Amino acid sequence: MNSPATDVVRLLTVKEETLAVAESLTGGLVAAEITTIPGASKVFRGSVTAYATDLKHALLAVDADLLAARGAVDAQVAAQMAAGVRKALGADWGIATTGVAGPDPQDGQLVGTVFVAVDGPFGAGSGSAGGGKVEALRLNGDRAEIRRESVRSVLALLLTELAGEHTGNERAQDTEQNGGF
């Protein structure tokens, strides 16, 4: 069975599309996971680890008033991070993670509160607001487990969107390239 990162790289390669990553609580783990996959250089544009709240505004164009009002751990912040990194790095897709890994609460949010987001070339009938999707997570475990699950979750969200954007013809081409499975 393929890892989520393997599937992301494979699908982006088939679609000839690119990815950029914005990370906060995961501190570069998403980018590291993607770049372990052979061939990632064909699709991975780069990443921004904006751990400090002010960098989310300065580097990813997250609204400063939103950050001041709600803090960094927020669904809209995650959505703006994904859109911001997509634009800043010139990628077809942008994904983002923000949340509280612990050991202490942050911005009034409990440990394990995480938001993951994807922004991409959605069609008019996709039903997504503003070209992006966000998932709110409530994760259990220690700091390492929360960060690891955040990586898995953002890649799973991206895979769902990539699979939804696939046409039958791309699937047929991909099946041929992968031995008919």
Side-chain angles (χ1 to χ4, degrees):
M1 184 167 148
N2 288 338
S3 74
T6 300
D7 291 339
V8 162
V9 170
R10 180 180 54 80
L11 285 173
L12 287 169
T13 301
V14 167
K15 294 167 66 67
E16 297 181 350
E17 292 179 340
T18 57
L19 174 65
V21 176
E23 300 186 66
S24 186
L25 86 147
T26 50
L29 292 175
V30 177
E33 186 76 10
I34 291 165
T35 58
T36 63
I37 307 305
S41 61
K42 294 177 188 167
V43 299
F44 186 64
R45 295 278 301 154
S47 66
V48 173
T49 301
Y51 211 65
T53 299
D54 63 308
L55 292 180
K56 290 171 181 63
H57 171 69
L59 299 176
L60 300 171
V62 175
D63 183 84
D65 292 335
L66 174 65
L67 289 166
R70 298 195 191 159
V73 183
D74 180 80
Q76 280 186 272
V77 170
Q80 289 185 17
M81 287 173 64
V85 79
R86 178 181 176 214
K87 182 177 179 183
L89 300 186
D92 297 300
W93 295 88
I95 58 176
T97 63
T98 189
V100 185
D104 300 313
Q106 177 188 338
D107 296 333
Q109 299 287 350
L110 297 174
V111 172
T113 303
V114 175
F115 296 94
V116 295
V118 61
D119 188 80
F122 299 106
S126 71
S128 76
K133 296 202 178 182
V134 179
E135 276 187 9
L137 308 172
R138 185 73 187 99
L139 304 176
N140 295 312
D142 64 20
R143 183 176 174 80
E145 291 168 323
I146 290 168
R147 294 174 76 218
R148 203 168 30 250
E149 183 60 21
S150 298
V151 172
R152 190 206 62 76
S153 295
V154 76
L155 292 176
L157 180 61
L158 177 58
L159 278 173
T160 298
E161 297 308 313
L162 286 171
E165 293 290 313
H166 243 24
T167 66
N169 192 26
E170 288 166 329
R171 282 194 183 131
Q173 291 171 2
D174 185 49
T175 299
E176 284 178 21
Q177 292 173 359
N178 287 296
F181 294 103

